[in-house]
Amino acid sequence: LLWGAGCGTEGGPDVDSGRFSAQMTGSMSEQLRGTAVYRMEDGRLAGLELSVDSTTGVSVDVQPQSQPRGVYEVIGAELLAVSRHDEPPGAAVFLDVPEAKFEAVAGTLTVSTAEPDEVRGSFVFRMEGRYDGVARDAPFVSLTGSFRATRSE
């Protein structure tokens, strides 16, 4: 997924290499920081994993692009295999926190720089979710942040 907001300088977001930073607001509020890695598939960007720890993180799957720089638009995961012709490439985004799970329903991921050893950018997502094992109102959050992802091993 690619993110449009939250970019720092022209060279990329204001986070260290291999890291991400995001602000979660809404039904839950928290500053998220952790490791950022990107996945490749057949030589094309396929996704990002932004991990705080073993229980909290963001997983982004994108429609693979040979030129990964640009804006990716949030779409449902079931649409990732569908060609989007004249529309921006799609991204499906999932957030897990200890007490809830979320899926993005709107937003963008912007990849500002794509180099062999690092992919940089920012994101803005509106996410809807469900609490684990508890019947309560469905939670919603906004997630805004930036990343400098290194290649996954």
Side-chain angles (χ1 to χ4, degrees), residues 86-107:
D86 297 329
E87 298 181 46
V93 185
F94 304 92
L95 166 65
D96 283 357
V97 295
E99 58 277 357
K101 298 193 181 338
F102 296 88
E103 181 173 357
V105 295

Side-chain angles (χ1 to χ4, degrees), residues 1 5 8-9 20 22 32 35 42 45 57 69-70 72-73 81 98 107 111 114-116 118 122 124 144-145 148:
L1 299 161
T9 64
F20 85 98
L32 304 178
T35 60
D42 298 325
L45 179 66
R69 284 185 58 199
Y72 295 71
E73 194 171 76
V111 173
E115 299 169 347
E118 190 174 80
S122 59
V124 177
T144 303
R148 286 180 62 187

Side-chain angles (χ1 to χ4, degrees), residues 39-93:
R39 299 186 314 274
M40 298 292 286
E41 187 176 286
D42 298 325
R44 302 183 301 173
L45 179 66
L48 298 166
E49 298 299 327
L50 310 175
S51 302
V52 174
D53 57 34
S54 64
T55 64
T56 303
V58 179
S59 181
V60 178
D61 295 319
V62 300
Q63 290 180 311
Q65 302 295 306
S66 56
Q67 298 296 321
R69 284 185 58 199
V71 176
Y72 295 71
E73 194 171 76
V74 167
I75 60 173
E78 69 281 2
L79 298 175
L80 283 176
V82 177
S83 176
R84 293 175 44 87
H85 301 296
D86 297 329
E87 298 181 46
V93 185

